[in-house]
Amino acid sequence: MLSNRLKNITPSYTIGISKRVAEMKADGIRIIDMSIGEPAFDIPKASKAKGISAFESGYTHYDLVPGLLPLRKAIAEKLANENGVHYDASEIVVSSGAKQAITNALLAALNPGDEVIIPAPYWTSYPEMVKLCGGAPVIVQTDASSDYKITEAHLKAHFTSKTKMLILNNPSNPTGNIYTRDELLSIADFCVQNRIWILSDEIYESLVYDTKFVSVASLSEQAKSIVFLVNGLSKSAAMTGLRIGYTAAPAPVAKYLSVIQGHLVSHPSTVSQWAAVGALTEGQDEMKERRDVYKKRRDIIYDKLCTIKGLSVQKPEGAFYFFLDMSPYKQKFPFSEHYSVELCDTLLNQEHIAAVPGIAFGKDDFIRLSYAGDLNDMLEGLDILKVFLEKYL
Ligand SMILES: Cc1ncc(COP(=O)(O)O)c(C=O)c1O
């Protein structure tokens, strides 16, 4: 009776793990949670103040579908000042999290059966979102030789007459890798020449540690004309529960995103939007301080991971994850079907450590550890992980 669309949709692994961790904690078990995809920080003070004042001022009614004008202006200013890419407020649509921004873009771009190139490892929801919007995900495996990033050569090898879009996650969840300007130039050139949209998911853009982040839309007017630039406040301002994301796109495209959103949800919560105005206009310093905290944490954890025998660790350049290759332990670890799932199940049930299986990102030999939670807990967890893994060498 239900839609065929649901037949091959997989529930979110990450949400499934969070649920199990919550259940185990409710049973009184202490879990060291390295599966989390959200900052443990509170929202910036300015966000809180603006949100409270919005409630008190009665800003709780319907407003403009693409988002509050002061918010869209603040986003346009942020994109110009920090990313060197110029959009008018009319080219910005504020949505309920980056998830909805991505869904709006897919609904706007895809006809049934259109192919969307998704480099693996990928953020777990992309393939399912593409399927839900009627498209066909084309998973392109990448490896260490390109730092797990897609290249023009990959695109050439997988491009067909049905290719409609490339999803580029920069910085990447799960690897934390960042595309250089030159890498983006060759990808953008190929996509411009072959009329392929680029959905550039830049949700981790504020968490970049060693290099300067380059937004693909900032490369040229031609590049900008094919980009749906998606970002939001979930990771930068820890506003995960307030659900504010946005898309910047050429004016005629933004108009359609607004039409889609108008029918689906109207707009995100007005109170959350005012909180986002606070973050973008007065919360920048606090957000930068947090980035510095994450950078220090990344370095400490990297050093600790490097002491685990058999593990080769790539230092992530951004986001708050380590994506670890578990293949050295595979031979001796007893598993029947999905190595990363069974490894993470054992870690959770036996060692009380939560990690996300790589299969959720299209790579079954890997696991993802997040350092967004408590540092001391994580260091304790890594001691346990070291003893656990070295048994399988
Ligand atoms: C790469 C990536 N894109 C989008 C999202 C969704 O962000 P939001 O919570 O703003 O919908 C996430 C959340 O984990 C993510 O990792």
Side-chain angles (χ1 to χ4, degrees), residues 328-343:
Y329 315 100
K330 193 171 181 179
Q331 202 115 59
K332 293 206 183 149
F333 182 83
F335 71 97
S336 50
E337 200 181 348
H338 294 305
Y339 173 48
S340 65
V341 175
E342 291 166 56
L343 188 67

Side-chain angles (χ1 to χ4, degrees), residues 103-245:
T103 311
N104 286 348
L106 294 171
L107 287 171
L110 301 185
N111 287 316
D114 278 350
E115 292 177 357
V116 178
I117 293 182
I118 303 176
Y122 48 75
W123 176 50
T124 192
S125 289
Y126 295 141
E128 311 311 306
M129 287 169 144
V130 168
K131 287 185 261 175
L132 283 169
C133 293
V138 175
I139 307 299
V140 175
Q141 288 294 336
T142 65
D143 59 28
S145 66
S146 65
D147 284 339
Y148 298 96
K149 293 186 265 190
I150 198 161
T151 62
E152 191 184 348
H154 287 117
L155 289 172
K156 276 186 183 147
H158 292 89
F159 173 74
T160 74
S161 59
K162 287 190 168 176
T163 308
K164 196 66 172 288
M165 185 184 263
L166 161 69
I167 299 186
L168 206 60
N169 183 204
N170 184 30
S172 151
N173 172 6
T175 66
N177 287 342
I178 293 164
Y179 285 82
T180 65
R181 174 178 291 274
D182 284 347
E183 287 164 349
L184 289 174
L185 274 171
S186 66
I187 290 169
D189 278 354
F190 183 87
C191 291
V192 167
Q193 275 163 28
N194 293 288
R195 297 168 52 93
I196 305 171
W197 291 107
I198 298 178
L199 192 158
S200 182
D201 179 351
E202 303 178 2
I203 191 81
Y204 292 96
E205 160 268 342
S206 67
L207 299 172
V208 168
Y209 307 122
D210 313 303
T211 44
K212 175 140 176 53
F213 172 77
V214 179
S215 174
V216 65
S218 72
L219 294 176
S220 65
E221 279 305 311
Q222 267 187 323
K224 190 180 156 199
S225 72
I226 57 157
V227 169
F228 291 87
L229 188 165
V230 171
N231 202 333
L233 279 297
S234 297
K235 314 292 171 172
S236 56
M239 285 176 44
T240 43
L242 296 182
R243 312 302 303 132
I244 297 293

